[in-house]
Amino acid sequence: MPGSTALTDSANPYALRDVVIGRPLRVFAWLSFIAEILIIGTGGAVRLTGSGLGCSDWPLCTPESLVPILEIQGIHGAIEFGNRTMTGVVGLMALAVVMLTLHALSGRRLVIRAVWFALGGVVLAIGVYAAASALGIVASAALMSAALLLAVIVGMVDSLRQTEQRKDLAVLAWLVLVGVMAQAVVGGFAVISDLNPFIVGFHYAVSLLLVCVTALYIVRLNTAPGPRASVVPGWFTGLTHATGFFLALTILFGVLTTGSGPHSGDANIKRHGFDATFLAHVHSWPGYILAVLVLTLAVSAWILKLAPRNWTLVLIVAILVQVGVGVLQARTGLPAIAVGIHMILASLSAAAYTVLVTRLKQPVEG
């Protein structure tokens, strides 16, 4: 407009800027998604090979060594340490997505603030560890990780308060990073508690949720910002949410069933005492209901030519394969490889459902 001066990033660091989603951000978003799936696989390998205590300590593998001593811990130590290494990879991918997201939203401003919070968190964590060690606190490493997690949460809150646009992307990116940091703490407690099945089950459930969040982030990268309106009938939305409920119920009973079965992560670990055979039947009941609901969604969506119809097919394939693997493993004595595939497929099914839900609404054209 004549007589007015446009504010640029260089003139005013708080001015809104165009959000450009570059190729590096898209690549790292996909790498983060893949890494979240892979760590479910490596975590499953730890449990299914009886390597849960291959590293007897945390965060060190043994009280004397960061890495396993193969002559002592053998293959179990290598498998457990490999999963811990994968945690680092997942964390780096999540961190890269956060930094690239902040750069896309604000340029260097929020990136620099996040770096300062990160440095402060490292200093705080080292200080907590030194103080706890000096006081003879056994859980000094856990306190150090908790301090670092707290710093990340504070950094997230500060960053989101400063974010003016596409806050959805910032929230999702930060949630993944916080989730990965929290997972490291939970994994440590799983080792310290001698693989308590409830903690191990919670560890898996959080990993599955992180797969869903990374999938949602990828979807939002390719979605225009602004108001969204429903593009399906109300009953279809309700049926979709009912499907999500039975999917969650199936996964919950699946976690409890695995926690009662033979794959505890270590031959000497006691399970939580539930009847594994009975739980396997209970696990199958919502699973069959889920399959019927997904089939109903798919048939309805294609008959009515609804927007989410393609993703109903993806979900029905994932669920049917999952049901098939579940029946196979139940009838063949729970072979480790089938249980591992079942765990990974559960996360992929949950991710497909997450994408399906996002297709129930579309941006309102203005």
Side-chain angles (χ1 to χ4, degrees):
M1 293 180 60
S4 65
T5 303
L7 292 177
T8 64
D9 246 354
S10 58
N12 179 4
Y14 295 97
L16 295 180
R17 65 196 301 275
D18 292 334
V19 176
V20 179
I21 308 299
R23 182 178 178 84
L25 177 53
R26 296 183 186 277
V27 169
F28 274 99
W30 275 103
L31 289 176
S32 180
F33 175 72
I34 293 170
E36 293 290 355
I37 295 173
L38 288 178
I39 200 168
I40 289 179
T42 60
V46 169
R47 184 170 191 169
L48 298 170
T49 60
S51 303
L53 296 179
C55 287
S56 59
D57 207 353
W58 179 84
L60 302 179
C61 186
T62 70
E64 300 81 20
S65 175
L66 172 65
V67 300
I69 303 172
L70 296 182
E71 293 79 4
I72 300 175
Q73 278 109 357
I75 187 64
H76 293 309
I79 293 174
E80 164 65 6
F81 187 75
N83 184 57
R84 294 186 182 192
T85 303
M86 189 63 201
T87 300
V89 174
V90 171
L92 289 175
M93 294 300 103
L95 179 62
V97 171
V98 167
M99 291 303 183
L100 289 170
T101 300
L102 296 182
H103 188 270
L105 301 185
S106 71
R108 293 181 297 175
R109 180 173 62 88
L110 290 182
V111 174
I112 293 174
R113 290 181 70 92
V115 169
W116 277 112
F117 271 102
L119 292 175
V122 171
V123 172
L124 174 64
I126 293 174
V128 168
Y129 181 79
S133 298
L135 295 173
I137 299 176
V138 177
S140 55
L143 292 175
M144 176 187 69
S145 297
L148 192 57
L149 172 61
L150 177 62
V152 173
I153 293 174
V154 173
M156 175 185 70
V157 173
D158 174 77
S159 178
L160 294 180
R161 290 181 61 186
Q162 301 288 328
T163 302
E164 298 292 338
Q165 54 188 339
R166 291 313 307 263
K167 186 170 286 191
D168 57 331
L169 295 179
V171 168
L172 293 172
W174 275 109
L175 281 178
V176 174
L177 181 59
V178 169
V180 172
M181 296 296 299
Q183 278 290 72
V185 177
V186 174
F189 279 110
V191 174
I192 294 172
S193 66
D194 288 334
L195 305 183
N196 180 288
F198 291 106
I199 297 179
V200 173
F202 178 75
H203 197 42
Y204 168 75
V206 174
S207 291
L208 186 145
L209 287 175
L210 288 177
V211 170
C212 294
V213 176
T214 52
L216 180 57
Y217 180 88
I218 293 172
V219 171
R220 297 297 295 172
L221 274 181
N222 299 288
T223 303
R228 294 162 57 82
S230 177
V231 291
V232 298
W235 62 264
F236 189 90
T237 299
L239 190 62
T240 302
H241 292 322
T243 301
F245 171 77
F246 279 99
L247 175 60
L249 203 61
T250 303
I251 292 172
L252 172 62
F253 282 115
V255 171
L256 292 175
T257 302
T258 303
S260 303
H263 304 295
S264 64
D266 189 272
N268 299 318
I269 296 301
K270 295 181 180 180
R271 312 321 307 273
H272 46 42
F274 296 136
D275 186 330
T277 303
F278 175 72
L279 273 179
H281 289 294
V282 175
H283 170 51
S284 68
W285 298 337
Y288 291 132
I289 296 174
L290 173 64
V292 172
L293 287 174
V294 173
L295 179 61
T296 304
L297 283 176
V299 172
S300 302
W302 280 90
I303 290 177
L304 299 176
K305 296 183 179 180
L306 301 179
R309 60 185 180 275
N310 290 332
W311 277 99
T312 62
L313 291 183
V314 175
L315 181 59
I316 198 170
V317 169
I319 295 299
L320 289 179
V321 173
Q322 180 73 323
V323 169
V325 173
V327 172
L328 175 65
Q329 69 175 14
R331 294 184 176 180
T332 55
L334 300 178
I337 184 66
V339 176
I341 292 173
H342 203 53
M343 292 170 62
I344 293 174
L345 284 175
S347 69
L348 293 175
S349 298
Y353 173 77
T354 300
V355 179
L356 172 62
V357 171
T358 67
R359 294 296 188 263
L360 299 178
K361 293 183 177 181
Q362 290 184 355
V364 177
E365 295 183 2

